[in-house]
Amino acid sequence: MTLSTPSMDPVTTIAQNFYKAPLPHITLEFVELASLTSKSVSRLVATLGEGTRLGIAASYGEKCVLETLAFSTAIRVLFIMVRGDTVGTSRQKKILREELLCNVSLEKHGFFMERIAASLYLDLGLYIRNAFDIASAGDKRGSMAAYKGVLVRAQTLLSLNERVVERTFAEQPFILSRIDDFALRAWACYIGVQAFPDSPGAIDTSAKNMEELRWMCKCVRDADRSDALKPHFTENDVSADFNINGGAVDLQCTRFKTRIRRSDNQHIRLKTDQGEFKGHVKNVSGRDVKVASHTQIASNAKIRSVVTIGKDELNGAGTTRAILILDAFRDGDALISSPFVRKIFFPDYPLHTLKWPKLPQTLPKINFTYRQLNASQKKAVEKCLSNEEEDRHVVIVGPPGTGKTTVIAAAVQSKVAEHPSNTVWVVAHSNVAVKNIAEKLVECGFLDFRLLVSKDFHHGWHEHLYEAISSRMIESGDFKHTTLDNERLVLGVRVMLCTISMLSTGRLMQCGFTKVVPVQTVIIDEASQIEVGDYLPILARYKTSLRKIVFIGDNKQRG
């Protein structure tokens, strides 16, 4: 982050430009944490009048550590620089805590409030009370459409200056550089309260169990650090053949990793021999992309480069994880009450109090005739099949060449043979890893499975990878809307394969796949390449059916 201390008066004025109509100017007071006084807080709160709601925004620096806080009313923003050494600021931190953060007579409303709460605790050792998340109230959490929707609903009679909103919110809080934009983010949160006056679930980190709070904060920070590493600029590899038709450009991507995607948070920069043009993605179908230019491009222009600017939105799994953690901050128990979350992340928790789905009472045995297993493979398969309580989750580690995929195939076949109601879901981080497992099952003579594949990965890009198993593959574009229709696609199989991202989203539940084939045993390949937080949606979403989870991977192989 490059946000610098401004060479300006401690108090200045800024004008909002989110709306085309003029509104009263906003007074901006800038203070270092070491200089914070009760008078600064009083000047802010005085502008609330009879109100009790403040907007709050935060920005973050290296390793996503908290750098700035801003609190806003309709006409005033208190901007606090908190970065750097906070030693000797105990009196100021007390003012911040007692008069703002933990003042229960003031409601704090902000986007991604779980991130603010986590950073306050991790970086300043401070709690926050009576805090509400605006982002969870709208659709597509964290998307540009969500930010615009909040501002439109807040002032229905005013026209929104969409380009300004896009510029202000396009930059993630990890690289924010303009102080006035940052102050306006806090102001937007105050205005957003008018759109969602009844935001659900107040956050009060002071009332949390300390072990749970530390774990939740770590989940947030790990996810933020992973997100901060995503590129803000991506040079797209495209074919030399393209078509320009007025305000539209038809392109074809040539590399999956740099493909152009459709996202409200991104725009396209087209560099031509006649200048640079800005546009947005109108349609994507496999490799083919239609970009709508904001200005006319001559039909004889030569395109030199195509660059995507802005980070991609969170995928469905990432959004699910964020909402689960937010719910935990708001005292929801969807995540914390999962017996697997308790067993894996809180080993001192009294495990006898956990409510597990019942394990089969049968005595499992290996049923695998493709080839003889060696001693270590046999032991691994036995652990996968074990119905003992202490083996609810199993970790199997092995370097390349030790037969981990064979272990998976043997475990799958044996589990299905154990009882006619047993079901198994096999997942991995990558589509290629899942495809390899599917091919191994076929090689071993086991055909009773279905492979779910994302249309974005398959269509136009990787059809050739699935030719040998195409009859057992279901592309996400072919998912039906009802459980009955998808049951016809599954055709009675009890083994499903997909990426962990696909299993983490709500779509499989909505379409009925997880009702037709309940998530009882989950085997995760390439487990060491998966971020710990990416497991949370599965552990929470399927806690009433999930009996056992098996992690398989190479501990020297990290994602």
Side-chain angles (χ1 to χ4, degrees), residues 337-453:
S337 66
S338 163
F340 280 99
V341 169
R342 288 293 188 186
K343 187 174 190 295
I344 296 171
F345 299 106
F346 302 96
D348 294 333
Y349 191 82
L351 299 182
H352 68 277
T353 65
L354 299 179
K355 296 181 180 179
W356 297 96
K358 289 184 178 180
L359 287 167
Q361 298 302 307
T362 55
L363 183 63
K365 62 180 181 179
I366 297 176
N367 191 323
F368 185 67
T369 58
Y370 173 67
R371 68 169 55 153
Q372 187 173 358
L373 303 174
N374 62 36
S376 62
Q377 291 172 337
K378 182 179 178 182
K379 184 176 180 181
V381 175
E382 288 172 346
K383 277 291 185 181
C384 293
L385 300 176
S386 171
N387 289 327
E388 300 296 327
E389 288 293 332
E390 60 266 25
D391 292 327
R392 286 283 189 170
H393 81 275
V394 173
V395 178
I396 297 172
V397 178
T402 54
K404 295 189 293 294
T405 309
T406 298
V407 167
I408 293 173
V412 167
Q413 293 191 43
S414 301
K415 194 66 180 175
V416 172
E418 177 190 346
H419 194 276
S421 67
N422 284 355
T423 60
V424 181
W425 284 75
V426 184
V427 303
H429 176 67
S430 67
N431 285 280
V432 172
V434 177
K435 186 267 302 181
N436 290 341
I437 296 169
E439 290 177 341
K440 187 67 175 181
L441 291 175
V442 172
E443 178 188 323
C444 296
F446 184 82
L447 308 178
D448 198 22
F449 68 89
R450 289 293 178 271
L451 170 63
L452 307 181
V453 181

Side-chain angles (χ1 to χ4, degrees), residues 2 34 70 86 108 175 206 253 325 364 443 473 546:
T2 57
T86 58
K108 278 70 65 175
I175 57 172
S206 70
C253 296
I325 295 174
E443 178 188 323
M473 186 199 75
L546 182 58

